[in-house]
Structure formats: structure tokens, C-alpha cells
Amino acid sequence: MTYCVAMKLDLGLIYMSDTRTNAGLDNISTFCKMKTWEKQGDRVITLLSAGNLATTQAVVGILEELNHTYSQSLHENRTTLFTAETLFQIATLIGQIVKDTIRNIAPGQQNADAFSASFILGGQIKGDVPRLFFIYPEGNFIEATKDTPFFQIGEHKYGKPIIVRAYNPAMSFEEATKLLLVSFDSTLRSNLSVGLPFDLLIYKEDTYVKGIQKRIEKNDPYYTNISDLWSDALKKAFLQLPPFYF
Amino acid sequence: MTYCVAMKLDLGLIYMSDTRTNAGLDNISTFCKMKTWEKQGDRVITLLSAGNLATTQAVVGILEELNHTYSQSLHENRTTLFTAETLFQIATLIGQIVKDTIRNIAPGQQNADAFSASFILGGQIKGDVPRLFFIYPEGNFIEATKDTPFFQIGEHKYGKPIIVRAYNPAMSFEEATKLLLVSFDSTLRSNLSVGLPFDLLIYKEDTYVKGIQKRIEKNDPYYTNISDLWSDALKKAFLQLPPFYF
């Protein structure tokens, strides 16, 4: 499993992803699930992935291959991460690659569902606002709006209630990081297949350059502290609710 | 979907279940998912069910049929809810009925998984302590212990974090009711297929008689209040956590 979140804020975009990959409970590895491409002054594009690692790596690999053949792409007028004019075009491109990748491998396999993968695509291309897309394994996608300004992929249930309640588009990147850490903590406590370290990235609107990028390691003192305090805070909040009487 | 919880307390057992049943989003009904059998002075047995309604009603129906042929059962030495000597025997009986029910209907159907169902069985039979079992659709089961003193069936993820953090075996039935209401509130907010009213039942150890039984209706003032306050309490708890700095 996996847990990744991307949120739209008034200030820009924020992303967090865990790094645990597992093939069964006895085969755990660490893989970064966040990939960022940057052309300073022009675009910053981030992709979060959940699902089959071979599928997600194939998708990123094909995107990179397209970038390497950049000049031909320009010549052939083929869309790449760096030639696309909008994030919508990139979502379409990635959707097509995901669908093709799964269609190439899944049919006829014993466990055809095992090859599935979902993605969150975010970023800003000059001339457009920051945008966020959720790309399905079927290749189609949806875009975040004011009503639904964040996307989660992977194990989204445990960590959702606090985001729903505490999210506020006007929050600072620091507050949003705190919120994501609490959401990740709730997920980590209930699902063994989500694990530290976490990758964090912020993108400040109209900068066209990667913002702060940070890896939150296993013994990160702030995270450890938040994790303990949140447990106590929940218990205290519960005790302070009015008592029930039969 | 469904949400049901049963918890072992030092004082006895407490159960809560929602009542929403749906066949698609446009076909919603209300069904009680909690069934209790009582022989005062001897036993109180409660069954919570999640899954296919035809399957769960068939299981309860067959248990009732066995009760109706009670005298023959005694004669034939056949186990029923009222002749079993231990709750383990009843869990075995129900497991067998679940397995048979699903095996009778599922094979060859287009969507064979759709007939699945899970159960929580709890209660006390004279001569034994209160016990709690989780019965799987495959017919096998596990029993609650000190380490894992509660079971959830149905949509268990949203409501689990608060139970894990605030549960305490020494809590009163009133405190446990409050805890369950908060857990149900978190679930309700995130999953449309879990709905009010809720059914609540308590069983006080060594009484061999049903305790308080209550239906929490849609406009229950305590529940509405708790639901609003919990949202605020979570937000406040979050704000009080120490700030993050890059």
C-alpha cells in the first residue's frame, strides 16, 4: 500500500508521500513515490504514484524516455512533460501511458488486478494557474476544485477525517505540513504497509521553481513529538466531550 | 456497507450497529443489524451482521428455525442457541451456517463475492465469562482477548483511530457509549453507506438478562451535539499542536 496527498492552497501546492513498498508482508522496501520535473521559469510538475511499482516505474520511465527524445518530440509535435502547453495535456499523456502499460501486461495474467496504479499530477506551467489532477488506472482523470481541493491515493481512509476538518485554503505551508504529518501519523498507526520516511515538497504559486523539498526521516524529532502529542490531544478532546447518560 | 462494533469492558459487553442497507446508491433501506436472544438467568446472546442482507437474514432465519425445533434439537442432541453449552459452540454453529449459506448461492453466479457476510457474536452463558467472536464468511472465527478487546465489521477504518486511542477496559457503559458515538460519527461523515439510526445494547456481566437497549434516532440531541463538538474539538486539538518550521 501507499499513502500520498496533494493539496491546493491559496499559496500554491503541497505534496507528501510515504516510501513503503511491499510485495507481501515479508518483502518491504523503500521507494520514493514522488517525482518532480522542473524547467525553471517555465514549469514545475510533480507526480505522486500508488499501486504496482513496476507499473508506476514504467510510467515514469516512459515519461523520461519522451523527455530524452525532446528534440524529436518538438519536431514531431509530440507532447512531453516539457513541450505540453497545459497540465491538462500532461494528464492526458500520463493517462494514455498508464492505460497502455496496464493493457500491455495485465490481460491473461492470473491476478490481472495486481497491475493497477493511480497517480496525482500537480504543478504549474507558465500562463496557467497551479492545477491538480487525479489520474485513474483506466487512464481518465479528474481535476481538483475549490470544493475538493485535495487528493489522496493509496490508503486514504484513516488520514482523511482530520484533513476534512482542519484544511483551510488560506493556511500557510507550515500549517499544511503539520496537517499532513498528523494525517500520515493516523494512517501509519493503522496500516503496516504505509511507512516512514515521508517525502515533502511545496510549490509556491508563480515561482516556476521547486520550493522546499524535505525528507522526514524515521526519528524526525518534530514528527515524533507531533505523533505523541496528537494521541494525547485526541484522548483529551474525547474526555472533554459532554458525558452520556442513559 | 455497514458499521458495527462490539467491545469487551470490565463491566460486560457493549454493542452498536448502524441500520443502513443499500443495493446501489439509489436503493437505501433501514434494517436492524443487531439480533439478541435471551433466556433470563441462563444466557444472553447477541449477533451483529455485515454484508449481503439475504445472507445475513438467512443465517438468522436458520438459527431461529433451529430454535423453533428446540425440543427435537434436544432429542437429537443438536446444537441451538439455547442448547449450546458455550459461546464457542454457537460460534461454530453460526460459522457452519454462514459457510453453507454462501456455498449454496454463490458458485456459478456472475458476482460470487457479493454474497459474503461477516458477524460479531457476543454474550454470556451461565458458567462462562462474557465472550466475543468475529465470524468470517469462510465459517472460521477468532475470539477477542485482552490485547484485542473489540471487533468492528463493515466500514471499520474511519472509526478505528479514536477507539484505539480512547478505549479503556475500565470505562463505564456511559463512557463507552460516548466513544462509540464518536467513532460512528467519524464513519458516517466519510461513508454514505453507513447511516442513522444506530442500535445500542449493553450487557452487564453475570446478569444473564439484556441490559439497556436504545435506538439513537436521526435527531437525537446528544448525538447531534457530540457530532458538532467533536468536529470543533479536533480542529482545536490540531491548532494546539506545536507549529512546524522549515
Side-chain angles (χ1 to χ4, degrees):
Chain A
M1 205 35 120
T2 284
Y3 185 40
C4 301
V5 186
M7 297 199 302
K8 273 180 89 168
L9 304 173
D10 293 346
L11 290 173
L13 299 164
I14 183 164
Y15 310 87
M16 195 177 280
S17 56
D18 86 314
T19 53
R20 182 157 297 173
T21 306
N22 67 304
L25 281 169
D26 52 354
N27 188 356
I28 290 175
S29 318
T30 300
F31 280 93
C32 179
K33 299 166 190 174
M34 183 188 293
K35 180 80 191 164
T36 299
W37 295 271
E38 177 189 48
K39 187 181 166 195
Q40 292 198 5
D42 179 62
R43 65 187 63 200
V44 176
I45 294 155
T46 300
L47 190 66
L48 305 178
S49 55
N52 183 290
L53 186 64
T55 300
T56 60
Q57 286 199 349
V59 170
V60 171
I62 292 167
L63 288 169
E64 298 274 13
E65 292 285 323
L66 287 173
N67 291 343
H68 288 153
T69 53
Y70 176 53
S71 48
Q72 288 112 293
S73 303
L74 267 181
H75 186 65
E76 298 170 17
N77 207 9
R78 203 162 60 180
T79 307
T80 73
L81 292 171
F82 292 108
T83 61
E85 282 160 21
T86 63
L87 220 62
F88 185 91
Q89 290 175 11
I90 295 178
T92 307
L93 171 68
I94 296 177
Q96 189 61 48
I97 296 173
V98 178
K99 196 172 70 174
D100 291 347
T101 303
I102 296 176
R103 278 202 188 155
N104 281 342
I105 181 80
Q109 304 270 11
Q110 264 197 314
N111 188 358
D113 284 347
F115 303 95
S116 192
S118 318
F119 297 83
I120 301 174
L121 168 72
Q124 186 176 19
I125 294 178
K126 199 137 202 175
D128 204 352
V129 294
R131 297 170 77 174
L132 215 51
F133 293 87
F134 187 125
I135 304 171
Y136 296 102
E138 291 79 6
N140 55 352
F141 51 85
I142 56 174
E143 182 172 3
T145 61
K146 274 203 173 165
D147 292 322
T148 303
F150 67 90
F151 287 135
Q152 304 166 288
I153 48 176
E155 175 55 275
H156 60 282
K157 293 191 178 183
Y158 298 109
K160 190 176 183 187
I162 187 61
I163 298 184
V164 169
R165 274 149 169 151
Y167 170 84
N168 172 359
M171 70 203 312
S172 67
F173 285 120
E174 287 81 0
E175 286 167 322
T177 302
K178 187 173 101 171
L179 176 55
L180 290 175
L181 287 175
V182 172
S183 173
F184 272 67
D185 176 53
S186 295
T187 309
L188 215 68
R189 279 178 189 249
S190 290
N191 191 326
L192 276 181
S193 68
V194 176
L196 283 153
F198 305 145
D199 288 313
L200 167 72
L201 175 71
I202 67 171
Y203 171 75
K204 205 159 173 283
E205 185 164 355
D206 295 341
T207 56
Y208 305 102
V209 57
K210 269 198 273 186
I212 292 169
Q213 194 163 17
K214 190 178 152 68
R215 175 157 276 200
I216 290 131
E217 297 286 352
K218 209 178 164 183
N219 298 316
D220 183 89
Y222 179 78
Y223 176 69
T224 311
N225 189 27
I226 280 280
S227 178
D228 293 344
L229 289 175
W230 182 240
S231 212
D232 293 344
L234 274 187
K235 273 184 232 167
K236 219 156 73 182
F238 173 71
L239 289 174
Q240 283 167 357
L241 289 179
F244 176 83
Y245 298 106
F246 285 112
Chain B
M1 206 33 122
T2 285
Y3 185 41
C4 301
V5 186
M7 296 199 302
K8 274 179 89 169
L9 303 173
D10 292 346
L11 289 173
L13 299 164
I14 184 164
Y15 309 88
M16 195 176 280
S17 56
D18 87 314
T19 54
R20 182 155 295 173
T21 306
N22 67 305
L25 280 169
D26 53 353
N27 188 357
I28 290 176
S29 318
T30 301
F31 281 93
C32 178
K33 299 165 189 175
M34 182 189 293
K35 180 81 191 165
T36 299
W37 295 272
E38 176 190 48
K39 188 179 165 193
Q40 293 199 3
D42 180 62
R43 68 188 61 201
V44 176
I45 294 155
T46 299
L47 190 66
L48 305 178
S49 55
N52 183 288
L53 187 63
T55 300
T56 61
Q57 285 198 350
V59 169
V60 170
I62 292 167
L63 288 169
E64 297 274 12
E65 292 284 324
L66 287 174
N67 292 342
H68 289 152
T69 53
Y70 176 53
S71 47
Q72 289 113 293
S73 302
L74 265 181
H75 185 66
E76 297 170 18
N77 208 8
R78 205 160 60 178
T79 306
T80 75
L81 293 171
F82 292 110
T83 60
E85 282 160 21
T86 62
L87 219 64
F88 184 91
Q89 289 175 13
I90 295 178
T92 307
L93 171 68
I94 296 176
Q96 188 62 45
I97 297 173
V98 179
K99 195 171 69 175
D100 290 348
T101 303
I102 296 176
R103 279 203 188 156
N104 281 342
I105 183 78
Q109 304 269 12
Q110 264 196 313
N111 188 357
D113 285 346
F115 303 96
S116 190
S118 318
F119 297 83
I120 300 175
L121 168 71
Q124 186 177 20
I125 294 177
K126 199 136 202 176
D128 204 351
V129 293
R131 295 169 77 174
L132 214 51
F133 293 87
F134 188 124
I135 304 171
Y136 295 101
E138 291 79 5
N140 55 352
F141 51 85
I142 56 172
E143 183 171 2
T145 60
K146 276 204 171 164
D147 293 322
T148 302
F150 67 91
F151 287 134
Q152 304 166 287
I153 49 177
E155 176 54 276
H156 61 282
K157 292 190 179 182
Y158 298 109
K160 191 176 184 187
I162 187 60
I163 299 185
V164 169
R165 274 150 169 151
Y167 169 85
N168 170 0
M171 71 204 313
S172 68
F173 285 118
E174 287 82 359
E175 287 168 321
T177 301
K178 186 173 103 172
L179 176 56
L180 289 176
L181 287 175
V182 172
S183 173
F184 271 68
D185 176 53
S186 296
T187 310
L188 216 67
R189 278 179 189 249
S190 289
N191 191 325
L192 277 181
S193 68
V194 176
L196 283 154
F198 305 145
D199 289 311
L200 167 72
L201 176 71
I202 67 170
Y203 172 75
K204 203 162 174 282
E205 184 164 356
D206 295 342
T207 56
Y208 305 103
V209 57
K210 269 198 270 187
I212 291 168
Q213 195 163 17
K214 190 177 154 68
R215 175 157 276 199
I216 290 131
E217 298 286 353
K218 208 178 163 183
N219 298 315
D220 182 271
Y222 179 78
Y223 175 69
T224 310
N225 189 27
I226 279 281
S227 179
D228 293 343
L229 289 174
W230 182 240
S231 212
D232 294 343
L234 274 186
K235 274 183 232 167
K236 219 155 72 181
F238 173 71
L239 290 174
Q240 284 168 355
L241 289 179
F244 175 82
Y245 299 106
F246 285 111

